[in-house]
Amino acid sequence: MGNKILTQYDVQKEPCYYSTDLKWRLHSASFKERPDDKLTIFIFEKKVVEKYPKNTKEQLLEVLRRDASCLQRLRHPQILSVVEALSEERSTLAFATKPVIGTVAQLLENNRFELSSLEMKCGLLDAAEALQFLHQDAKTAHLGFSPNSIFLDPTGKWLLGGLGFSQSQVQWGQLVDCPFAFAGDSQPGQLSAEPPSRYAAPEMCSMPGKCGLESDIFSLGLLVYELMSAERQPLLRSAPRGYTAGLMRPGSVPAELEP
């Protein structure tokens, strides 16, 4: 571990969470001089993508750099708080945040019925307030909003992160060209330089794709459905192209409302 951030803190060897959608490995850590003060180190080892095509490799690294730099720049109680800015060295990227214990995606993977109704409502309010700040104050579209972009701190508070796909200087009612093709080229277990297509708005997945602040509201709606529906399953099977009946999970929508 040659990255300076990894030498400044006492870092747990094993990650507390990792997924291909998240890309970062989360490691619990503490200050060496203050072991009771905890934080979380986000680490990415470049060897993971060394065999990827050059363009894909650079796109992935740029997504990670943008994620860290946007979190460093944006300050809000419902947005992941950076303690130590991104440090990039030959083999790793790393930055540190206030402590988090995982993501909403991790909760859903382990037990979709673990969250109580009150916890979900409070968490969704946290996420909605973070999006409101991004849209109204930062004029920024998240564009990667999903369970993988929402982190949980030790008290259960939800914090928005995953800003690597975001676009700044976007106004309400303004659609700009979408930089993602949603080609579906990634194989299972591979990292993708595009947001999770299952939570993407339809205008992002059309040809040519467009995106805006409203795209995040669609993604938020998909997460609300997934958490608050009786089965707690995603509404969409894949990228929302065309909205055919086969796109939606069977039984998720009453027959009279299906397209």
Side-chain angles (χ1 to χ4, degrees):
M1 291 187 174
N3 194 297
K4 67 177 184 180
I5 288 183
L6 305 182
T7 60
Q8 286 178 218
Y9 304 98
D10 287 327
V11 183
Q12 295 292 320
K13 184 175 181 180
E14 295 299 321
C16 59
Y17 184 62
Y18 169 77
S19 77
T20 53
D21 286 325
L22 177 61
K23 301 175 184 61
W24 300 100
R25 285 189 291 113
L26 306 188
H27 289 255
S28 299
S30 60
F31 292 85
K32 289 185 175 180
E33 66 278 11
R34 303 191 307 275
D36 290 336
D37 290 347
K38 306 298 182 183
L39 65 158
T40 296
I41 309 294
F42 284 60
I43 304 171
F44 182 81
E45 296 183 350
K46 295 181 181 179
K47 67 180 181 181
V48 173
V49 294
E50 64 183 9
K51 294 183 178 180
Y52 283 43
K54 184 177 180 181
N55 286 346
T56 303
K57 177 180 175 181
E58 286 305 315
Q59 288 170 359
L60 281 164
L61 292 175
E62 189 54 38
V63 166
L64 295 168
R65 295 181 188 114
R66 183 172 183 79
D67 186 11
S69 64
C70 288
L71 288 173
Q72 171 72 15
R73 178 173 55 87
L74 297 170
R75 299 287 179 172
H76 186 270
Q78 270 70 49
I79 288 182
L80 195 60
S81 179
V82 173
V83 174
E84 189 81 35
L86 179 71
S87 172
E88 181 172 357
E89 299 190 1
R90 185 176 60 85
S91 60
T92 59
L93 291 88
F95 69 100
T97 71
K98 290 183 178 180
V100 294
I101 58 175
T103 66
V104 171
Q106 183 180 12
L107 279 181
L108 295 176
E109 290 165 10
N110 294 336
N111 183 355
R112 287 186 170 268
F113 295 92
E114 180 178 347
L115 289 170
S116 69
S117 177
L118 179 60
E119 287 174 318
M120 289 187 293
K121 290 174 182 177
C122 291
L124 288 169
L125 179 60
D126 288 340
E129 288 181 353
L131 283 180
Q132 182 181 43
F133 165 75
L134 281 183
H135 294 173
Q136 293 187 357
D137 296 280
K139 303 295 187 291
T140 296
H142 189 286
L143 303 182
F145 187 89
S146 77
N148 289 284
S149 67
I150 304 173
F151 297 83
L152 291 89
D153 76 2
T155 68
K157 182 179 178 180
W158 292 17
L159 302 166
L160 186 62
L163 291 167
F165 305 110
S166 61
Q167 294 276 349
S168 58
Q169 298 182 340
V170 182
Q171 303 287 337
W172 276 106
Q174 173 192 15
L175 290 178
V176 299
D177 291 338
C178 183
F180 317 112
F182 294 103
D185 295 334
S186 298
Q187 299 298 316
Q190 280 192 329
L191 304 185
S192 172
E194 297 179 339
S197 60
R198 177 178 280 177
Y199 297 93
E203 64 271 14
M204 295 174 63
C205 301
S206 56
M207 303 295 273
K210 297 288 184 179
C211 58
L213 301 179
E214 295 86 346
S215 305
D216 291 340
I217 305 305
F218 184 91
S219 301
L220 174 62
L222 290 178
L223 179 60
V224 171
Y225 176 90
E226 183 171 351
L227 291 175
M228 304 303 291
S229 64
E231 296 179 347
R232 295 194 184 177
Q233 295 292 327
L235 175 63
L236 303 183
R237 291 172 163 176
S238 58
R241 291 191 178 98
Y243 276 103
T244 62
L247 175 65
M248 298 186 182
R249 187 173 47 78
S252 60
V253 177
E256 64 270 19
L257 297 181
E258 289 188 359

